[in-house]
Amino acid sequence: MAPKGIAGIVINSTDSYALVQSVLSVSKIRINAALKNSGYFGTLTWNGDNSRVMHLADIPKYVALKIGDTVVTDGKSAIFPKGVTIGTIAGYSVDNKTGFWDISVELSEKMGSLNKVYVVKNLKKAEVQKIQDTMQAVIKKKMISRTLFTDILIMIFLVALQIVVLDRITVFGKYTPVLYPVFVMFYPFFRNKFQFLALSFLIGLTIDGFHYSWGSMHLQQP
């Protein structure tokens, strides 16, 4: 922390020195920040344009803003304590992509001339981190179970649509429309790859079972 605000995060240290990542790091640091007057909170980042200005996002556009309003840390992370001054609102506009405010925050500290900082150790960081890790694990577990259930429902729908409807349609007298491969084509790439392989194999095997082919290709004699 700096005398007038926040400065960065210690990412490595020795007995005599510390390596600090500045808050002015494009796409590297996301700071939990809040409007001091209203308490609404969002995410503060730097877009690399101006070393005096950061941007606060995720604030709903129905929240009343005023130039000069103070922005502080909201204490929801294990890094910065609550209520530390970050800066003041220098401007704002609605982000057309998100529908939320895009708030320009002028930093209280002049980062370009900063030469003195304080290293603050959060004595309860381990406790806070443990709670956050537990919560994230629970959320991840629920997401996996929900997505697996959703995948199975989609598979059942595609198989039923293929067997009951599409297999009875002939295009130009010899082509049968096939829809179920879209499950593989549009499967989210960031999901579990083993789950993807297993479900893809299962949907193919199910279709083969209804066609009595079991993976073999049947050629129709002219």
Side-chain angles (χ1 to χ4, degrees):
M1 290 174 54
K4 296 181 180 180
I6 59 176
I9 300 173
V10 176
I11 58 177
N12 198 2
S13 65
T14 65
D15 292 339
S16 303
Y17 299 96
L19 179 63
V20 178
Q21 187 171 53
S22 169
V23 292
L24 302 182
S25 299
V26 179
S27 303
K28 296 294 184 179
I29 292 183
R30 300 168 64 86
I31 300 168
N32 295 316
L35 303 174
K36 185 176 181 179
N37 291 337
S38 64
Y40 281 93
F41 57 88
T43 304
L44 189 72
T45 57
W46 185 55
N47 61 14
D49 291 340
N50 187 339
S51 63
R52 294 285 292 121
V53 177
M54 297 183 71
H55 288 265
L56 180 61
D58 304 328
I59 302 293
K61 63 180 181 181
Y62 57 78
V63 177
L65 302 177
K66 186 173 65 175
I67 301 295
D69 281 352
T70 302
V71 178
V72 298
T73 56
D74 72 351
K76 288 184 173 61
S77 74
I79 300 174
F80 295 108
K82 183 178 180 179
V84 178
T85 299
I86 296 175
T88 56
I89 295 178
Y92 52 89
S93 61
V94 176
D95 188 329
N96 294 327
K97 294 182 179 179
T98 64
F100 289 81
W101 286 122
D102 176 13
I103 305 172
S104 299
V105 180
E106 184 176 356
L107 299 178
S108 300
E109 191 65 61
K110 295 181 179 179
M111 301 297 292
S113 59
L114 183 63
N115 55 27
K116 182 179 181 180
V117 295
Y118 303 97
V119 178
V120 179
K121 183 177 181 180
N122 188 346
L123 299 179
K124 297 183 178 180
K125 180 178 179 179
E127 184 178 352
V128 173
Q129 192 65 50
K130 183 178 179 180
I131 294 176
Q132 291 178 341
D133 291 344
T134 301
M135 182 178 65
Q136 290 296 329
V138 172
I139 293 174
K140 185 176 181 180
K141 184 177 180 180
K142 288 184 177 180
M143 288 181 63
I144 291 175
S145 62
R146 284 183 184 177
T147 52
L148 179 59
F149 179 70
T150 303
D151 287 344
I152 293 174
L153 288 180
I154 294 174
M155 286 175 53
I156 293 174
F157 170 76
L158 290 175
V159 170
L161 182 64
Q162 185 67 48
I163 301 301
V164 178
V165 179
L166 298 181
D167 280 358
R168 301 182 182 184
I169 299 175
T170 303
V171 181
F172 301 121
K174 58 180 179 179
Y175 299 111
T176 300
V178 176
L179 185 62
Y180 67 89
V182 299
F183 178 83
V184 177
M185 295 168 58
F186 295 101
Y187 195 89
F189 69 91
F190 54 84
R191 298 269 296 280
N192 188 301
K193 62 180 180 181
F194 297 107
Q195 180 175 308
F196 164 69
L197 291 173
L199 293 175
S200 300
F201 174 78
L202 182 60
I203 193 172
L205 187 66
T206 304
I207 294 292
D208 287 344
F210 278 103
H211 290 165
Y212 301 103
S213 63
W214 299 111
S216 62
M217 180 178 293
H218 296 270
L219 298 178
Q220 184 176 1
Q221 296 296 330

